[in-house]
PDB file of all heavy atoms in Angstrom:
ATOM      1  N   PHE A 213      42.051 -72.779 -47.995  1.00 87.00           N
ATOM      2  CA  PHE A 213      41.136 -73.410 -48.856  1.00 87.00           C
ATOM      3  C   PHE A 213      41.516 -73.439 -50.353  1.00 87.00           C
ATOM      4  O   PHE A 213      41.245 -74.380 -51.020  1.00 87.00           O
ATOM      5  CB  PHE A 213      39.726 -72.556 -48.717  1.00 87.00           C
ATOM      6  CG  PHE A 213      38.985 -73.142 -47.628  1.00 87.00           C
ATOM      7  CD1 PHE A 213      38.667 -72.469 -46.433  1.00 87.00           C
ATOM      8  CD2 PHE A 213      38.335 -74.363 -47.725  1.00 87.00           C
ATOM      9  CE1 PHE A 213      37.859 -72.929 -45.453  1.00 87.00           C
ATOM     10  CE2 PHE A 213      37.474 -74.954 -46.719  1.00 87.00           C
ATOM     11  CZ  PHE A 213      37.285 -74.156 -45.615  1.00 87.00           C
ATOM     12  N   LYS A 217      41.738 -76.838 -52.505  1.00 81.00           N
ATOM     13  CA  LYS A 217      40.493 -76.813 -53.129  1.00 81.00           C
ATOM     14  C   LYS A 217      40.100 -78.174 -53.666  1.00 81.00           C
ATOM     15  O   LYS A 217      38.879 -78.696 -53.711  1.00 81.00           O
ATOM     16  CB  LYS A 217      40.446 -75.838 -54.319  1.00 81.00           C
ATOM     17  CG  LYS A 217      41.577 -75.965 -55.418  1.00 81.00           C
ATOM     18  CD  LYS A 217      41.447 -74.852 -56.437  1.00 81.00           C
ATOM     19  CE  LYS A 217      42.530 -75.025 -57.464  1.00 81.00           C
ATOM     20  NZ  LYS A 217      42.375 -73.833 -58.548  1.00 81.00           N
ATOM     21  N   TRP A 222      36.660 -82.951 -53.257  1.00 77.00           N
ATOM     22  CA  TRP A 222      36.573 -84.412 -53.019  1.00 77.00           C
ATOM     23  C   TRP A 222      35.597 -84.737 -51.806  1.00 77.00           C
ATOM     24  O   TRP A 222      34.812 -85.632 -51.871  1.00 77.00           O
ATOM     25  CB  TRP A 222      38.063 -84.996 -52.724  1.00 77.00           C
ATOM     26  CG  TRP A 222      38.062 -86.388 -52.476  1.00 77.00           C
ATOM     27  CD1 TRP A 222      38.305 -86.972 -51.209  1.00 77.00           C
ATOM     28  CD2 TRP A 222      38.007 -87.462 -53.491  1.00 77.00           C
ATOM     29  NE1 TRP A 222      38.328 -88.350 -51.398  1.00 77.00           N
ATOM     30  CE2 TRP A 222      38.061 -88.662 -52.713  1.00 77.00           C
ATOM     31  CE3 TRP A 222      37.656 -87.565 -54.782  1.00 77.00           C
ATOM     32  CZ2 TRP A 222      38.089 -89.893 -53.297  1.00 77.00           C
ATOM     33  CZ3 TRP A 222      37.499 -88.828 -55.368  1.00 77.00           C
ATOM     34  CH2 TRP A 222      37.770 -90.034 -54.642  1.00 77.00           C
ATOM     35  N   MET A 223      35.805 -83.952 -50.681  1.00 73.00           N
ATOM     36  CA  MET A 223      34.934 -84.149 -49.611  1.00 73.00           C
ATOM     37  C   MET A 223      33.520 -83.927 -49.915  1.00 73.00           C
ATOM     38  O   MET A 223      32.614 -84.767 -49.424  1.00 73.00           O
ATOM     39  CB  MET A 223      35.492 -83.233 -48.430  1.00 73.00           C
ATOM     40  CG  MET A 223      34.571 -83.339 -47.130  1.00 73.00           C
ATOM     41  SD  MET A 223      35.182 -82.240 -45.884  1.00 73.00           S
ATOM     42  CE  MET A 223      33.798 -82.365 -44.666  1.00 73.00           C
ATOM     43  N   VAL A 246      25.774 -91.925 -39.303  1.00 83.00           N
ATOM     44  CA  VAL A 246      25.769 -91.055 -40.456  1.00 83.00           C
ATOM     45  C   VAL A 246      26.470 -89.785 -40.139  1.00 83.00           C
ATOM     46  O   VAL A 246      27.420 -89.222 -40.822  1.00 83.00           O
ATOM     47  CB  VAL A 246      24.354 -90.822 -41.095  1.00 83.00           C
ATOM     48  CG1 VAL A 246      24.531 -89.743 -42.192  1.00 83.00           C
ATOM     49  CG2 VAL A 246      23.871 -92.160 -41.604  1.00 83.00           C
ATOM     50  N   TYR A 249      30.180 -90.311 -39.303  1.00 86.00           N
ATOM     51  CA  TYR A 249      31.014 -90.501 -40.624  1.00 86.00           C
ATOM     52  C   TYR A 249      31.336 -89.091 -41.140  1.00 86.00           C
ATOM     53  O   TYR A 249      32.533 -89.014 -41.579  1.00 86.00           O
ATOM     54  CB  TYR A 249      30.270 -91.381 -41.462  1.00 86.00           C
ATOM     55  CG  TYR A 249      31.071 -91.583 -42.707  1.00 86.00           C
ATOM     56  CD1 TYR A 249      32.083 -92.507 -42.733  1.00 86.00           C
ATOM     57  CD2 TYR A 249      30.913 -90.713 -43.941  1.00 86.00           C
ATOM     58  CE1 TYR A 249      32.848 -92.716 -43.871  1.00 86.00           C
ATOM     59  CE2 TYR A 249      31.687 -90.999 -45.048  1.00 86.00           C
ATOM     60  CZ  TYR A 249      32.721 -91.976 -44.942  1.00 86.00           C
ATOM     61  OH  TYR A 249      33.535 -92.151 -46.031  1.00 86.00           O
ATOM     62  N   PHE A 262      48.714 -78.971 -43.596  1.00 80.00           N
ATOM     63  CA  PHE A 262      49.993 -79.326 -43.015  1.00 80.00           C
ATOM     64  C   PHE A 262      50.865 -80.130 -43.884  1.00 80.00           C
ATOM     65  O   PHE A 262      52.092 -80.211 -43.827  1.00 80.00           O
ATOM     66  CB  PHE A 262      49.661 -80.142 -41.611  1.00 80.00           C
ATOM     67  CG  PHE A 262      49.217 -79.148 -40.575  1.00 80.00           C
ATOM     68  CD1 PHE A 262      47.800 -79.140 -40.337  1.00 80.00           C
ATOM     69  CD2 PHE A 262      50.019 -78.389 -39.798  1.00 80.00           C
ATOM     70  CE1 PHE A 262      47.250 -78.382 -39.232  1.00 80.00           C
ATOM     71  CE2 PHE A 262      49.442 -77.614 -38.773  1.00 80.00           C
ATOM     72  CZ  PHE A 262      48.132 -77.499 -38.508  1.00 80.00           C
ATOM     73  N   HIS A 267      59.084 -75.051 -48.049  1.00 47.00           N
ATOM     74  CA  HIS A 267      59.897 -74.111 -47.494  1.00 47.00           C
ATOM     75  C   HIS A 267      59.689 -72.649 -48.233  1.00 47.00           C
ATOM     76  O   HIS A 267      59.710 -71.603 -47.631  1.00 47.00           O
ATOM     77  CB  HIS A 267      61.373 -74.398 -47.610  1.00 47.00           C
ATOM     78  CG  HIS A 267      61.783 -75.533 -46.609  1.00 47.00           C
ATOM     79  ND1 HIS A 267      61.713 -75.369 -45.328  1.00 47.00           N
ATOM     80  CD2 HIS A 267      62.019 -76.814 -46.860  1.00 47.00           C
ATOM     81  CE1 HIS A 267      62.051 -76.487 -44.724  1.00 47.00           C
ATOM     82  NE2 HIS A 267      62.204 -77.361 -45.606  1.00 47.00           N
ATOM     83  N   PHE A 272      57.225 -67.087 -48.249  1.00 54.00           N
ATOM     84  CA  PHE A 272      56.407 -66.081 -48.815  1.00 54.00           C
ATOM     85  C   PHE A 272      55.223 -65.695 -47.826  1.00 54.00           C
ATOM     86  O   PHE A 272      55.051 -64.390 -47.663  1.00 54.00           O
ATOM     87  CB  PHE A 272      55.702 -66.675 -50.082  1.00 54.00           C
ATOM     88  CG  PHE A 272      54.568 -65.846 -50.630  1.00 54.00           C
ATOM     89  CD1 PHE A 272      54.821 -64.623 -51.214  1.00 54.00           C
ATOM     90  CD2 PHE A 272      53.157 -66.278 -50.314  1.00 54.00           C
ATOM     91  CE1 PHE A 272      53.718 -63.851 -51.694  1.00 54.00           C
ATOM     92  CE2 PHE A 272      52.149 -65.542 -50.747  1.00 54.00           C
ATOM     93  CZ  PHE A 272      52.484 -64.333 -51.487  1.00 54.00           C
ATOM     94  N   PRO A 277      51.986 -59.044 -44.747  1.00 61.00           N
ATOM     95  CA  PRO A 277      51.790 -58.051 -43.555  1.00 61.00           C
ATOM     96  C   PRO A 277      50.795 -58.712 -42.548  1.00 61.00           C
ATOM     97  O   PRO A 277      49.614 -58.173 -42.321  1.00 61.00           O
ATOM     98  CB  PRO A 277      51.192 -56.858 -44.169  1.00 61.00           C
ATOM     99  CG  PRO A 277      50.512 -57.404 -45.370  1.00 61.00           C
ATOM    100  CD  PRO A 277      51.324 -58.484 -45.891  1.00 61.00           C
ATOM    101  N   GLY A 296      32.024 -77.506 -39.554  1.00 92.00           N
ATOM    102  CA  GLY A 296      30.746 -76.952 -39.897  1.00 92.00           C
ATOM    103  C   GLY A 296      30.084 -77.540 -41.068  1.00 92.00           C
ATOM    104  O   GLY A 296      28.781 -77.867 -41.148  1.00 92.00           O
ATOM    105  N   VAL A 323      19.800 -84.276 -30.680  1.00 87.00           N
ATOM    106  CA  VAL A 323      20.544 -82.964 -30.524  1.00 87.00           C
ATOM    107  C   VAL A 323      21.796 -83.104 -29.563  1.00 87.00           C
ATOM    108  O   VAL A 323      22.896 -82.728 -29.944  1.00 87.00           O
ATOM    109  CB  VAL A 323      19.566 -81.872 -30.137  1.00 87.00           C
ATOM    110  CG1 VAL A 323      20.465 -80.637 -29.724  1.00 87.00           C
ATOM    111  CG2 VAL A 323      18.548 -81.550 -31.029  1.00 87.00           C
ATOM    112  N   MET A 372      30.967 -95.917 -33.304  1.00 78.00           N
ATOM    113  CA  MET A 372      30.208 -97.104 -33.714  1.00 78.00           C
ATOM    114  C   MET A 372      30.097 -97.971 -32.518  1.00 78.00           C
ATOM    115  O   MET A 372      28.984 -98.672 -32.524  1.00 78.00           O
ATOM    116  CB  MET A 372      30.845 -97.729 -34.970  1.00 78.00           C
ATOM    117  CG  MET A 372      30.792 -96.992 -36.254  1.00 78.00           C
ATOM    118  SD  MET A 372      31.532 -97.914 -37.612  1.00 78.00           S
ATOM    119  CE  MET A 372      30.377 -99.298 -37.734  1.00 78.00           C
ATOM    120  N   LEU A 396      19.546 -83.231 -21.271  1.00 81.00           N
ATOM    121  CA  LEU A 396      20.337 -83.564 -22.390  1.00 81.00           C
ATOM    122  C   LEU A 396      20.903 -82.282 -23.107  1.00 81.00           C
ATOM    123  O   LEU A 396      22.115 -82.341 -23.464  1.00 81.00           O
ATOM    124  CB  LEU A 396      19.339 -84.455 -23.289  1.00 81.00           C
ATOM    125  CG  LEU A 396      19.105 -85.711 -22.837  1.00 81.00           C
ATOM    126  CD1 LEU A 396      18.124 -86.443 -23.716  1.00 81.00           C
ATOM    127  CD2 LEU A 396      20.284 -86.647 -23.002  1.00 81.00           C
ATOM    128  N   MET A 404      29.931 -78.426 -25.751  1.00 94.00           N
ATOM    129  CA  MET A 404      30.409 -77.422 -26.773  1.00 94.00           C
ATOM    130  C   MET A 404      31.238 -76.273 -26.261  1.00 94.00           C
ATOM    131  O   MET A 404      32.256 -75.959 -26.842  1.00 94.00           O
ATOM    132  CB  MET A 404      29.075 -76.904 -27.414  1.00 94.00           C
ATOM    133  CG  MET A 404      28.290 -77.784 -28.357  1.00 94.00           C
ATOM    134  SD  MET A 404      28.883 -77.953 -29.961  1.00 94.00           S
ATOM    135  CE  MET A 404      28.426 -76.431 -30.727  1.00 94.00           C
ATOM    136  N   SER A 407      34.742 -77.586 -25.545  1.00 95.00           N
ATOM    137  CA  SER A 407      35.515 -77.764 -26.779  1.00 95.00           C
ATOM    138  C   SER A 407      35.972 -76.351 -27.385  1.00 95.00           C
ATOM    139  O   SER A 407      37.084 -76.316 -27.838  1.00 95.00           O
ATOM    140  CB  SER A 407      34.659 -78.468 -27.780  1.00 95.00           C
ATOM    141  OG  SER A 407      33.511 -77.777 -28.320  1.00 95.00           O
ATOM    142  N   CYS A 418      49.515 -72.344 -29.984  1.00 91.00           N
ATOM    143  CA  CYS A 418      50.113 -72.699 -31.223  1.00 91.00           C
ATOM    144  C   CYS A 418      50.633 -71.425 -31.873  1.00 91.00           C
ATOM    145  O   CYS A 418      51.746 -71.392 -32.564  1.00 91.00           O
ATOM    146  CB  CYS A 418      49.265 -73.400 -32.259  1.00 91.00           C
ATOM    147  SG  CYS A 418      48.748 -75.095 -31.671  1.00 91.00           S
ATOM    148  N   LYS A 425      59.128 -69.791 -33.101  1.00 72.00           N
ATOM    149  CA  LYS A 425      60.018 -70.439 -34.161  1.00 72.00           C
ATOM    150  C   LYS A 425      60.299 -69.373 -35.264  1.00 72.00           C
ATOM    151  O   LYS A 425      61.479 -69.480 -35.780  1.00 72.00           O
ATOM    152  CB  LYS A 425      59.058 -71.640 -34.864  1.00 72.00           C
ATOM    153  CG  LYS A 425      59.057 -72.708 -33.862  1.00 72.00           C
ATOM    154  CD  LYS A 425      58.166 -73.845 -34.565  1.00 72.00           C
ATOM    155  CE  LYS A 425      58.063 -75.069 -33.702  1.00 72.00           C
ATOM    156  NZ  LYS A 425      57.235 -76.143 -34.476  1.00 72.00           N
TER     157      LYS A 425
END
Side-chain angles (χ1 to χ4, degrees):
F213 270 110
K217 59 184 178 182
W222 180 252
M223 177 180 171
V246 172
Y249 180 80
F262 289 99
H267 290 291
F272 168 74
V323 171
M372 288 186 65
L396 287 172
M404 292 277 286
S407 67
C418 292
K425 287 181 179 179

